[in-house]
Amino acid sequence: MAFRSGRHFLQIPGPTNVPDRVLRAIDYPTMDHRGPDFGHMGLEIIDGLKYVFQTKQPVVIYPASGTGAWEAALVNCFSPSDKVLMVETGHFASLWQKMAGKLGLQVELIATDWRRGADPAAVEAKLKEDKAHAIKAVCVVHNETSTGATSRIPLVRKAIDAAGHPALFMVDTISSLASIDYRHDEWGVDVTVAGSQKGLMLPPGLSFNAVSEKARKTAQSAKLPKAYWAWDEMIAANKTGYFPYTPATNLLYGLREAIAMLQEETLAGVFARHARHAEATRRAVRAWGLEILCANAEEYSNTLTAVMMPAGQDADALRKTILNAYDMSLGTGLGRLAGKIFRIGHLGDFNDLTLMGTLAGVEMGLALGGVTHKQGGVAAAMAYLTEAAQKQAPGAKLNAV
Ligand SMILES: *Cc1c(COP(=O)(O)O)cnc(C)c1O
């Protein structure tokens, strides 16, 4: 591979760009995970995670990808043949559903057209039909990374309550945590699944379960085999800041730094920044004359935007053109969306100029790749970001927009 100067633009919706502060933190000698210093760090991280998940309840950390935390949520809470209600919002929801099937669960599925989030009314209707309470949990992907649609979790919670149904509520926040507002306690979620490599700005390799009291109680009588993923041993060891098996020590150094960065910016600041970049991106897409895949404006994702290609034009050819010419990676279309869409990731370690570089790469790529489009997306995004900056700094003069 020939040397390419400058920084690669990793604009897929995860893994995201790892900030220098996190890289520096990871680059530190691995310590004894049973030694005296480790416990202090462990406690600091376990406590800091509560801020990120907006919870007072335990957050379990696994040395695993997000898929591991999916499995952990399922094996801790269920017994063979238990029924779960899942909403197929896109590719990731469908993978979680397949996993549930492999583990011997029965999946009741609410299908969608992969252009929107979970419909609270559909969830309520399914639960009302289930008079015998055979459904043990409702599982929803908060931010469907394959489509760029964000489900409205508080409304799904309300739907469960309106049906008077005792099902557990499990939410995958792998591509929304620490980027889009998410409240484990306030929104009454029993198990929140998350991963390290998206909003948390870490390399891949850690994943999480935030666990409610109700879920922990359910886990005590659940019969699916569990050992590595068992919450109880983990939560017991975590009380003193330690882990029942060797944790991913260096990733934990990085996690401590990432939590500190989120606290310095504040969650409110982090969410506002992601909302601003998402809106600027959508303005660019509209100015290009292209269509946003998510069909419901109330469910637009603030961490990625999936863009539909004009009919008959290949998204992966465009992605290849952009990678070759501008050294930028964009997300591919997954599952049934292969070739039809590309995804612009705008999450994690990201500022206005990162976004402008990203959008410039897309607009230049559209021209270079001969994709049918209009110019002016970059200009539209730039005007929006300038306006937003002016609002943040009253008195600043707006020139030439
Ligand atoms: C990335 C992602 C996953 C998969 O996580 P892995 O770390 O690849 O196992 C699952 N769900 C969502 C919503 C994701 O964005």
Side-chain angles (χ1 to χ4, degrees):
M1 249 184 345
F3 172 72
R4 307 197 68 167
S5 75
R7 191 160 182 163
H8 175 71
F9 269 61
L10 184 66
Q11 301 322 136
I12 57 175
T16 64
N17 295 287
V18 180
D20 290 346
R21 266 177 72 172
V22 170
L23 289 173
R24 297 294 90 81
I26 291 171
D27 180 13
Y28 191 82
T30 303
M31 64 161 93
D32 174 8
H33 63 284
R34 314 252 184 232
D37 291 341
F38 192 93
H40 297 293
M41 177 178 78
L43 286 175
E44 189 186 333
I45 291 170
I46 289 159
D47 191 55
L49 281 175
K50 292 180 198 267
Y51 173 74
V52 180
F53 283 78
Q54 305 198 48
T55 185
K56 292 192 163 58
Q57 306 182 74
V59 181
V60 171
I61 310 170
Y62 296 110
S65 85
T67 303
W70 266 349
E71 181 158 339
L74 300 179
V75 298
N76 271 286
C77 287
F78 303 122
S79 299
S81 324
D82 272 356
K83 198 183 236 190
V84 292
L85 178 63
M86 291 181 145
V87 185
E88 204 206 47
T89 45
H91 183 72
F92 287 101
S94 105
L95 289 177
W96 200 11
Q97 163 211 330
K98 282 191 189 121
M99 172 188 273
K102 286 180 199 162
L103 291 170
L105 303 177
Q106 292 180 60
V107 181
E108 175 109 20
L109 193 68
I110 299 175
T112 78
D113 60 0
W114 287 33
R115 295 193 68 176
R116 63 200 74 245
D119 175 7
V123 170
E124 187 175 334
K126 281 278 186 200
L127 293 178
K128 277 185 170 157
E129 275 169 30
D130 179 40
K131 300 256 187 299
H133 296 167
I135 294 170
K136 299 299 175 206
V138 176
C139 304
V140 174
V141 173
H142 181 211
N143 184 70
E144 178 52 74
T145 322
S146 63
T147 67
T150 306
S151 289
R152 291 162 294 173
I153 298 304
L155 298 190
V156 179
R157 174 74 255 173
K158 267 196 194 142
I160 299 170
D161 295 342
H165 200 290
L168 292 171
F169 189 19
M170 295 189 172
V171 181
D172 168 346
T173 65
I174 296 177
S175 66
S176 55
L177 190 85
S179 325
I180 300 172
D181 193 10
Y182 181 80
R183 308 174 188 193
H184 177 82
D185 285 0
E186 191 184 320
W187 295 354
V189 179
D190 293 297
V191 186
T192 296
V193 175
S196 58
Q197 75 273 29
K198 301 185 187 180
L200 280 174
M201 307 175 288
L202 294 168
L206 292 180
S207 57
F208 310 88
N209 276 178
V211 184
S212 76
E213 197 58 50
K214 183 175 164 188
R216 285 180 71 185
K217 228 178 235 144
T218 307
Q220 283 168 7
S221 56
K223 299 265 179 330
L224 281 178
K226 53 176 177 279
Y228 185 80
W229 305 115
W231 289 332
D232 271 2
E233 288 162 51
M234 190 64 102
I235 291 169
N238 282 176
K239 286 210 163 68
T240 48
Y242 292 89
F243 291 80
Y245 44 78
T246 315
T249 308
N250 289 58
L251 289 176
L252 293 178
Y253 297 156
L255 178 57
R256 176 168 58 179
E257 192 65 23
I259 293 169
M261 292 165 69
L262 293 167
Q263 288 173 332
E264 285 167 32
E265 188 176 359
T266 75
L267 284 184
V270 171
F271 301 151
R273 171 167 57 81
H274 283 82
R276 181 171 82 245
H277 291 151
E279 176 60 27
T281 302
R282 292 189 290 266
R283 288 183 185 216
V285 173
R286 290 193 197 102
W288 291 325
L290 298 177
E291 195 177 341
I292 295 165
L293 178 67
C294 179
N296 181 2
E298 287 179 303
E299 296 175 318
Y300 283 148
S301 169
N302 283 345
T303 59
L304 76 133
T305 301
V307 184
M308 294 169 78
M309 291 293 283
Q313 301 186 27
D314 180 12
D316 288 334
L318 171 68
R319 289 176 50 254
K320 196 170 165 193
T321 298
I322 291 173
L323 179 62
N324 289 341
Y326 304 116
D327 198 20
M328 175 162 74
S329 298
L330 295 170
T332 187
L334 294 167
R336 66 166 88 148
L337 297 168
K340 298 193 171 79
I341 62 153
F342 63 93
R343 295 170 300 144
I344 304 171
H346 34 77
L347 74 159
D349 184 34
F350 217 76
N351 63 23
D352 286 9
L353 295 189
T354 330
L355 183 72
M356 290 318 303
T358 301
L359 296 176
V362 175
E363 188 161 331
M364 290 189 288
L366 290 168
L368 195 62
V371 175
T372 313
H373 75 291
K374 291 185 274 208
Q375 290 184 334
V378 166
M382 195 158 60
Y384 176 75
L385 291 179
T386 311
E387 261 173 57
Q390 192 200 29
K391 277 184 198 142
Q392 278 195 340
K397 283 263 182 326
L398 245 196
N399 295 318
V401 287

